[in-house]
Amino acid sequence: MEKLKSYKALLDEGVITQDEFETIRKAILSDSSRVNHSESTEKNIFDNIKQT
């Protein structure tokens, strides 16, 4: 949940958009049910956001 708070702070600061935050939030929450959450997952999220 600390990662989610960090992304929320980025949203509040205007660094990321609401849509980007929602995408990240959904990915983090779905990954939180898995045992092996990796940094590469976050990188993939950002790569996908940058492409849109």
Side-chain angles (χ1 to χ4, degrees):
M1 286 308 241
E2 287 301 315
K3 289 184 181 190
L4 190 56
K5 289 178 184 178
S6 297
Y7 289 116
K8 175 66 168 116
L10 292 175
L11 173 64
D12 292 343
E13 293 171 10
V15 176
I16 61 175
T17 66
Q18 183 69 42
D19 288 340
E20 291 168 332
F21 176 76
E22 289 301 321
T23 300
I24 293 166
R25 183 185 65 80
K26 288 175 187 175
I28 289 173
L29 292 176
S30 71
D31 282 348
S32 68
S33 64
R34 298 180 189 158
V35 174
N36 295 324
H37 176 25
S38 68
E39 295 297 322
S40 63
T41 301
E42 285 185 45
K43 182 180 182 317
N44 290 338
I45 293 167
F46 279 115
D47 288 344
N48 289 338
I49 290 171
K50 289 177 185 176
Q51 291 175 6
T52 58

